[in-house]
Amino acid sequence: MTDVQGGFRGWAADRRGAMSRLRFTSLRLRLVVVFGLVALTAAVSASGIAYWLNREAVLTRTQDAVLRDFQQEMQNRAGALPVHPTQDELQRTAGQMANSSQRFSVLLVGDDTDGRTVYGSSDGLSAFALDDVPTSLRKAVDKRQKVTDSNKSAYHLYWQRVVDHGTPYLVAGTRLIGGGPTGYMMKSLEPEAKDLNSLAWSLGIATGLALIGSALLAQAAATTVLKPVHRLGVAARRLGEGKLDTRLRVSGTDELADLSRTFNDAAEALEKRVDDMAARDDASRRFVADMSHELRTPLTAITAVTEILEEELEAESGSVDPMIEPAVRLVVSETRRLNDLVENLMEVTRFDAGTARLVLDDVDIADQITACIDARAWLDAVDLDAERGIHARLDPRRLDVILANLIGNALKHGGSPVRVSVRIEGEDLVVAVRDHGPGIPEDVLPHVFDRFYKASASRPRSEGSGLGLSIATENARIHGGSITAANSPEGGAVFTFRLPRDASRLTEESKDAGDAGDAGDAGDAGEKSA
């Protein structure tokens, strides 16, 4: 049963593939249709011309032979009758005339000695009659023509083709010059009609065969033309998927071969360009990473010294000279800022290198937000709207980085109170951080998550490096989530991040490579309009 179902599915798939190849927008179908129309037009035109020429030739040949024989019979036999023949004489002569080689029916009309009109028919009085002759033909036969140098006879032979009950006939008539009976002839053209019908059928069959042959030729031509096009499409898709080593096999010297060569040249140039860019990118990342690592060693010593200086500043002994106290505080602040910058650069380098990994744990969202706020002494400036018991399986450290950057950014540039609200939408966790500041200018909104972006070039250096929001975005992305920025209708800016409640499916792609350090300081919370 399984084999039967598999065979049926295979047949259905093949049929769908064939139908897709023959859809109306398919170049293959259009080529076949165009070839077919051209062949059909040529075959119908040739068949029509051939039929018309043969029809005229057959009918003309038969007609000329019959009319010539009838005219001779009228001259030889009807011309031998007296001027006023009797009915018996007409009957006998008509029968003799009908026995000619062409075998036609004859009707003779004359006047007897008493002036009465008498008839003689080769088929008897009930067969070929005067009523069978068209009126127009009778009038033409009876009309006396004027004798001139160009017209030597007063009466002429006239003929006409008629159809009676589906059978074609040739009807002709003439009068004897110098007196005598008028003769009419009727000849059946049914044998010629049958021959012409056979010819029409033959030409129709030939047209059908020509159409089928053209379709087969079109299919062969389409296959020849479209196979390289199909290979080009497949190669283009592979190239779009990032397989830059894709190349086409070039054969021939036609336009399609030139197209394949052009594609190969473009793919080679693109591969070289991407390799160069990747090499420069790798070199840049290595430089940033090496620089950050090299800076950490002297920064550790500097940080230890600044901590001692800071303790001296806070001590009541007043051991620091008041004249140099502002300089000492500046050194402490700038050292802390430099340390934050180095840590942020190292984290950005890990994201760029793809070495950042998730360490998942079950997290109570309300407790996590509260811990983040409490650790940075923001309890008085932040309102939390989150129910207890909302759990998610996330990386607690990276969630703390996101929260610290967004809340710190809101406090720095928007001002308190900052409101943090949590809600569940389907399988996602949605956290919104809203401040009550002036909002974000519309021209700044598209760039707030860019690295090192600052809304104002005149902003003091102590306001951050412009990496905080970028790091928050990367931490959301590694969870399979996102962060958006907008302005609230009630005023202020709103940053909303959405994370899946369970990021376990991402752990296979994000194996833990070890804890490479903290993800940046909450004080460096990115940039937006003040």
Side-chain angles (χ1 to χ4, degrees), residues 40 51 104 147 227 231 272 346 417 423 518:
L40 181 62
Y51 177 79
F104 42 73
V147 178
K227 187 175 291 185
R231 288 200 298 264
K272 186 177 184 301
M346 292 183 66
R423 65 182 185 274
D518 295 331

Side-chain angles (χ1 to χ4, degrees), residues 8-254:
F8 177 77
R9 285 195 294 268
W11 173 82
D14 292 341
R15 184 179 180 185
R16 285 195 298 271
M19 292 301 293
S20 66
R21 289 193 297 270
L22 291 178
R23 62 186 183 276
F24 186 72
T25 56
S26 169
L27 183 58
R28 181 186 300 272
L29 179 58
R30 282 184 282 174
L31 282 174
V32 172
V33 170
V34 169
F35 269 75
L37 289 177
V38 171
L40 181 62
T41 303
V44 168
S45 301
S47 298
I49 294 173
Y51 177 79
W52 181 78
L53 292 176
N54 280 276
R55 178 180 180 275
E56 290 301 314
V58 169
L59 292 178
T60 301
R61 184 172 60 250
T62 302
Q63 174 181 294
D64 290 346
V66 171
L67 294 178
R68 185 168 54 252
D69 194 24
F70 174 66
Q71 193 170 25
Q72 290 178 354
E73 292 293 327
M74 284 292 294
Q75 292 175 355
N76 296 334
R77 298 187 183 276
L81 290 172
V83 177
H84 300 286
T86 64
Q87 183 173 344
D88 292 337
E89 291 174 334
L90 292 178
Q91 192 79 21
R92 184 174 56 255
T93 303
Q96 293 172 349
M97 294 173 63
N99 289 328
S100 69
S101 60
Q102 296 299 323
R103 295 292 178 181
F104 42 73
S105 299
V106 178
L107 174 65
L108 296 177
V109 181
D111 296 331
D112 61 9
T113 55
D114 296 332
R116 294 178 304 174
T117 302
V118 292
Y119 303 91
S121 176
S122 61
D123 298 329
L125 297 178
S126 60
F128 182 32
L130 192 61
D131 292 337
D132 297 326
V133 180
T135 304
S136 59
L137 181 62
R138 282 183 284 168
K139 290 181 178 180
V141 170
D142 293 337
K143 185 177 181 181
R144 183 181 179 87
Q145 303 290 330
K146 184 178 181 180
V147 178
T148 63
D149 293 338
S150 60
N151 183 28
K152 304 297 184 180
S153 302
Y155 299 98
H156 296 275
L157 174 65
Y158 296 94
W159 59 269
Q160 186 174 342
R161 295 174 192 164
V162 298
V163 177
D164 185 17
H165 297 92
T167 302
Y169 292 94
L170 175 65
V171 181
T174 186
R175 292 190 65 169
L176 288 174
I177 300 173
T182 302
Y184 295 98
M185 175 275 300
M186 176 179 283
K187 168 68 175 178
S188 174
L189 299 177
E190 186 173 4
E192 287 75 13
K194 290 181 179 180
D195 292 340
L196 292 174
N197 287 336
S198 298
L199 176 62
W201 274 104
S202 300
L203 293 175
I205 293 173
T207 300
L209 293 176
L211 185 60
I212 295 174
S214 67
L216 295 177
L217 290 175
Q219 177 69 12
T223 301
T224 303
V225 173
L226 295 181
K227 187 175 291 185
V229 176
H230 175 70
R231 288 200 298 264
L232 180 62
V234 173
R237 283 193 294 271
R238 289 172 58 85
L239 197 65
E241 293 170 357
K243 301 174 182 177
L244 301 181
D245 59 342
T246 302
R247 297 293 184 273
L248 288 172
R249 185 177 71 256
V250 180
S251 60
T253 57
D254 56 6

